[in-house]
Amino acid sequence: MAAPQTLWVGLALLGVLGGLRTRARAHVSLQPNFQQDKFLGRWFTAGLASNSNWFREKKDALSTCSSVVAPREGGGLNLTSTFLRKDHCETRTLLLLPAGPPGCYSYTSPHWGGTQNVSVVGTDYVEYALLYTEGTKGHGQDFRMATLYSRTQTPRAEVKEKFANFTKAQGFTEDTIVFLPKTDKCLEEHK
């Protein structure tokens, strides 16, 4: 079984960002006319919601991480995230492959195996992005996560409210939603 910090890496990297099932596509829409080139650049993971038991147990110990979304030669995106783990900074990169219409990506989870699908469900490109991830982990357990990306560590109250409303519409409850505290650690690598 993966260490809790290793699982956080997977969650944080998602956060920015597995297959979306047909039932999920029925109630999670994509950003209309998604423009990948505008989505590129530095983001902070400012909010998370998940149905994972591990997440519920560890959410109070999590803090903001920094991620850079960059195009990958040959297609897809590299999502490179830097976060605090055991008092030192760690960087991980995920390869997000196009998986359907623009704004849909998939990746293979290095910790859980299987494919996770990520959808950009809303963004204004300059301030925030809302992402929804779904797939399986471990022994076929359903996994769902919503992520709030912000171009700054302190998103406006209206953006946080938009994220809270989105997560509740996806069936997440208050105890499964967290706005991550701002930190000065491990954020310099992606300036």
Side-chain angles (χ1 to χ4, degrees):
M1 175 173 233
Q5 292 81 8
T6 304
L7 294 175
W8 160 236
V9 171
L11 293 173
L13 293 176
L14 274 180
V16 279
L17 298 164
L20 275 181
R21 298 164 194 248
T22 304
R23 63 176 176 77
R25 289 188 188 263
H27 64 84
V28 176
S29 59
L30 292 172
Q31 169 68 37
N33 303 310
F34 178 73
Q35 297 174 48
Q36 180 175 288
D37 61 324
K38 291 183 177 183
F39 184 66
L40 302 175
R42 185 178 186 185
W43 292 98
F44 295 96
T45 303
L48 294 169
S50 179
N51 68 336
S52 167
N53 288 333
W54 178 89
F55 174 78
R56 288 182 193 172
E57 293 168 7
K58 303 295 182 185
K59 70 179 185 173
D60 292 334
L62 304 178
S63 62
T64 302
C65 77
S66 174
S67 298
V68 173
V69 180
R72 183 175 185 273
E73 190 173 321
L77 299 172
N78 282 327
L79 173 65
T80 303
S81 295
T82 301
F83 52 93
L84 184 63
R85 179 175 182 244
K86 295 185 179 180
D87 296 323
H88 72 278
C89 299
E90 192 166 313
T91 300
R92 300 272 173 98
T93 300
L94 282 181
L95 168 60
L96 302 176
L97 297 172
C104 284
Y105 300 92
S106 68
Y107 72 94
T108 301
S109 172
H111 309 292
W112 303 322
T115 299
Q116 306 291 320
N117 285 324
V118 179
S119 297
V120 180
V121 298
T123 185
D124 68 357
Y125 304 102
V126 296
E127 186 176 15
Y128 77 93
L130 302 175
L131 293 94
Y132 183 78
T133 302
E134 187 172 51
T136 58
K137 67 176 193 171
H139 302 286
Q141 297 173 354
D142 286 333
F143 171 76
R144 298 182 311 117
M145 173 173 266
T147 304
L148 169 61
Y149 274 170
S150 175
R151 294 288 189 185
T152 68
Q153 284 196 67
T154 49
R156 291 182 308 115
E158 295 84 359
V159 170
K160 291 168 105 175
E161 183 177 344
K162 183 182 292 262
F163 177 69
N165 290 338
F166 169 71
T167 58
K168 290 173 185 172
Q170 303 314 310
F172 293 107
T173 57
E174 289 291 332
D175 67 321
T176 63
I177 302 168
V178 64
F179 289 100
L180 301 172
K182 182 178 168 180
T183 182
D184 293 328
K185 298 178 182 178
C186 303
L187 300 179
E188 298 302 313
E189 285 81 3
H190 292 299
K191 280 193 171 179

